[in-house]
Amino acid sequence: MSETVPRKHAEFRHLRQIVAGVSNGVILVGVDQRITWANERALAMHGVDSVEALGETVSDYRRRFELRYRNNHRLAEGQYPMERVLSGEAFDEVVVEVAPAGNNETTWVHRIRSLVLVDDEGVPDLLVLILDDETERYNAEERFERTFNANPAPAIILRLDDLRHIKVNRGFLEMTGYAEEDVIGRSVYEVDVLEGAARRELAIERLKEGRTIPQMEGMLQLPGGGEKCVVLAGQPIEMGDVSCMLFTFADLDGRRQAEDALRQSEERFETAFRLAPVPLAIVLRDSWRFLLINEAFTRETRFDTEDAIGRDAAELPLWDSADAAAELHRRLRREHTVLNVDMRLRTKTGAVIDCVVSAAAVDIRDQSCILVAAQNVTERNRTGVEVAQAIEAAMKEADFSKAVVEQLVRQRRKTAPVASGGLTGLPPRARDVLGLICDGLNDAAIGEKLGVSRNTVRNHVASLYRKTGVSNRASLVIWARERGITGAV
């Protein structure tokens, strides 16, 4: 159709003025295949600024722009919407992707309708293409599609008008063991994700109304039998112009297994903590308030649960020395673990006990705590001191020391086999020193006897300690007697 037609008919001019300002794109095509006019919206939807840039004719338009269906199939010659209108075909809607020829990076999505204007005799006079720009909507849907498919969180989409599943992602298939064809197109009655829902009636009511379904626990029935414990929720969405419900799921089996393992671990810890023979306590790291004590702690300190829980160590009071306690706190802040510190603790009765204390920073149920172990060594220390004092006093008397040593050797032989060997590695002078020690001589007397200095004797004695593995003269004498050395040769 030539440019003379709009000028000949005032109504055509008025029509162009009306459609120039509408939001839809409008392209007018004459029956002679010439593109006669387009509004600014239609030009922008092709990335051009003039009608001439669209092409002079329909064939020219096809050379300048490449059209594809949404399935990426290119439209062949004769299938372009302009060509279909010229051939006499009328269509309500067709959706195509449009890109400049040779440049697929710039793409628009057009939804196109056709309109044929006729003259007074009913003969087609002007062909009209009405274009809606669906680019942003389809881009958003494509982004949603990619996100939905790539999301590891299990999800499924149900169409509300017929209650059939239209989309399912890999996460749902992997979680349940369904195949895609077992879900897509199936009704909610065939794959019922709400069957084991905790609040099923509420969920069904919300589904019918197209409203949000709140989170709730449920049991999904698996295709191979069995059930899967999940948390599910439903969110109404629009897919194009279709109302749908997006169901999302969180697998609870792993969490429940972890919770069971944690509970069992806590139970084992609690049992071991309670029955441990060493006094144990758990305190808050910042305030040193007691959270838990075991039976051994009560037995040694006399503080029971009612006395200790909720109070700090200073309130009891537990520490005999505030300075020692402050030093323990400082070391814990710096090192997080402190081992085998000699400290004195006070019992509920006010008695003082010697302890070896170890402490370590731990997190228990999201709380920063300190695990404290305190072993009572009062009796051990008292016995050690008494034995050392007795030996020291006995060794002052040579004759008596021999008797003590002989008695210790006899007692030891009752409980242990007689040792052999160990003498071949001793040099002659060291054996002489060892024999004189067995006779009860001190370093000065041994030096005089052997004609050596006192320091030389001490060096021999230190060497004997290293070779025999003992740390004092009494043990050295016992070691020698067990090997048949009773005195100097």
Side-chain angles (χ1 to χ4, degrees):
M1 184 172 178
S2 67
E3 286 280 0
T4 59
V5 174
R7 288 196 294 268
K8 187 188 308 183
H9 299 285
E11 61 270 22
F12 280 4
R13 184 174 63 254
H14 295 157
L15 175 63
R16 290 194 306 181
Q17 292 174 353
I18 292 172
V19 301
V22 300
S23 59
N24 300 97
V26 178
I27 299 177
L28 303 182
V29 181
V31 292
D32 60 354
Q33 298 192 25
R34 295 178 63 83
I35 300 174
T36 61
W37 182 82
N39 68 353
E40 291 185 3
R41 182 63 174 158
L43 298 177
M45 291 168 61
H46 287 80
V48 298
D49 54 11
S50 67
V51 176
E52 291 75 17
L54 291 175
E56 184 178 355
T57 64
V58 171
S59 298
D60 194 16
Y61 176 89
R62 178 164 30 84
R63 287 191 292 269
R64 296 184 182 214
F65 296 93
E66 183 176 302
L67 272 62
R68 295 178 181 272
Y69 289 121
R70 291 290 294 160
N71 62 5
N72 208 35
H73 179 70
R74 184 175 179 178
L75 274 66
E77 183 176 351
Q79 294 298 312
Y80 274 48
M82 288 184 183
E83 295 172 316
R84 291 169 61 183
V85 171
L86 285 170
S87 67
E89 181 181 351
F91 50 84
D92 291 331
E93 181 179 292
V94 61
V95 177
V96 293
E97 293 182 352
V98 180
N103 182 13
N104 290 331
E105 293 184 1
T106 304
T107 305
W108 302 272
V109 179
H110 295 172
R111 185 173 59 186
I112 305 174
R113 292 172 289 148
S114 67
L115 181 64
V116 178
L117 302 181
V118 299
D119 60 16
D120 294 339
E121 286 75 29
V123 177
D125 193 22
L126 192 66
L127 309 177
V128 183
L129 291 177
I130 303 173
L131 288 66
D132 290 317
D133 189 352
E134 298 290 327
T135 306
E136 186 59 35
R137 183 169 74 96
Y138 276 96
N139 285 346
E141 290 181 359
E142 186 174 340
R143 288 193 297 270
F144 172 81
E145 185 89 10
R146 288 197 300 266
T147 303
F148 177 82
N149 291 330
N151 190 353
I156 192 170
I157 297 177
L158 181 74
R159 190 167 53 213
L160 292 179
D161 60 357
D162 60 359
L163 297 180
R164 291 189 177 276
H165 301 293
I166 60 172
K167 287 186 180 298
V168 61
N169 72 351
R170 179 60 53 187
F172 183 89
L173 300 178
E174 291 177 351
M175 180 183 72
T176 61
Y178 278 106
E180 187 172 353
E181 58 269 21
D182 296 330
V183 178
I184 301 299
R186 303 288 182 177
S187 73
V188 72
Y189 306 106
E190 296 173 280
V191 181
D192 187 358
V193 298
L194 298 176
E195 181 177 349
R199 291 178 285 170
R200 177 176 169 81
E201 293 183 1
L202 172 64
I204 292 176
E205 178 184 343
R206 293 289 183 89
L207 179 63
K208 290 178 179 178
E209 296 172 352
R211 297 169 56 199
T212 298
I213 298 174
Q215 283 191 1
M216 60 184 70
E217 289 195 17
M219 298 296 294
L220 290 180
Q221 302 302 312
L222 304 181
E227 297 176 326
K228 171 72 68 174
C229 183
V230 298
V231 170
L232 63 89
Q235 178 64 40
I237 62 171
E238 296 291 326
M239 296 287 293
D241 297 326
V242 180
S243 297
C244 301
M245 184 69 71
L246 169 65
F247 286 102
T248 55
F249 306 85
D251 189 346
L252 284 185
D253 281 355
R255 192 176 79 181
R256 286 197 168 182
Q257 291 173 1
E259 289 175 349
D260 289 342
L262 177 61
R263 185 176 60 255
Q264 293 173 6
S265 176
E266 289 177 344
E267 290 173 354
R268 289 193 294 268
F269 171 79
E270 184 177 354
T271 301
F273 179 89
R274 180 170 52 85
L275 299 179
V278 177
L280 299 175
I282 296 175
V283 299
L284 289 175
R285 187 170 185 178
D286 293 335
S287 63
W288 276 77
R289 291 191 178 276
F290 285 90
L291 296 179
L292 193 65
I293 61 175
N294 71 346
E295 296 171 2
F297 185 93
T298 299
R299 182 178 64 251
E300 296 290 352
T301 67
R302 306 303 183 202
F303 292 115
D304 58 21
T305 299
E306 187 175 346
D307 297 322
I309 303 307
R311 303 176 68 188
D312 63 36
E315 287 181 85
L316 289 181
L318 183 65
W319 309 121
D320 181 55
S321 169
D323 291 340
E327 177 60 22
L328 177 63
H329 295 182
R330 282 192 294 270
R331 289 188 59 185
L332 276 169
R333 284 193 296 269
R334 186 173 63 249
E335 303 171 21
H336 301 292
T337 299
V338 177
L339 300 176
N340 302 326
V341 177
D342 290 328
M343 298 185 69
R344 305 185 76 191
L345 306 185
R346 286 192 174 274
T347 69
K348 186 176 180 179
T349 62
V352 176
I353 56 176
D354 295 323
C355 291
V356 173
V357 175
S358 296
V362 294
D363 289 330
I364 298 178
R365 295 179 180 175
D366 299 325
Q367 286 186 303
S368 295
C369 302
I370 300 291
L371 174 63
V372 182
Q375 184 169 2
N376 187 348
V377 294
T378 304
E379 290 301 321
R380 186 191 71 185
N381 289 350
R382 181 182 298 119
T383 302
V385 170
E386 291 174 350
V387 170
Q389 291 174 343
I391 292 177
E392 184 179 356
M395 291 298 291
K396 293 179 180 178
E397 297 293 335
D399 293 337
F400 184 66
S401 66
K402 291 183 180 180
V404 171
V405 169
E406 292 293 345
Q407 180 64 23
L408 289 174
V409 169
R410 284 194 295 272
Q411 291 296 327
R412 184 158 179 172
R413 284 174 177 169
K414 291 179 181 178
T415 57
V418 176
S420 60
L423 299 176
T424 56
L426 295 179
R429 181 61 76 185
R431 295 188 63 173
D432 293 341
V433 171
L434 181 57
L436 294 172
I437 290 174
C438 291
D439 285 336
L441 274 64
N442 59 26
D443 292 348
I446 294 174
E448 185 178 350
K449 186 80 171 177
L450 297 178
V452 297
S453 70
R454 188 173 182 178
N455 286 338
T456 301
V457 174
R458 287 178 178 175
N459 290 337
H460 283 299
V461 173
S463 177
L464 287 169
Y465 286 164
R466 289 194 301 273
K467 291 180 180 294
T468 59
V470 301
S471 59
N472 55 64
R473 290 174 97 89
S475 299
L476 186 61
V477 171
I478 294 172
W479 183 90
R481 292 299 177 89
E482 288 178 343
R483 288 159 178 77
I485 299 176
T486 58
V489 179

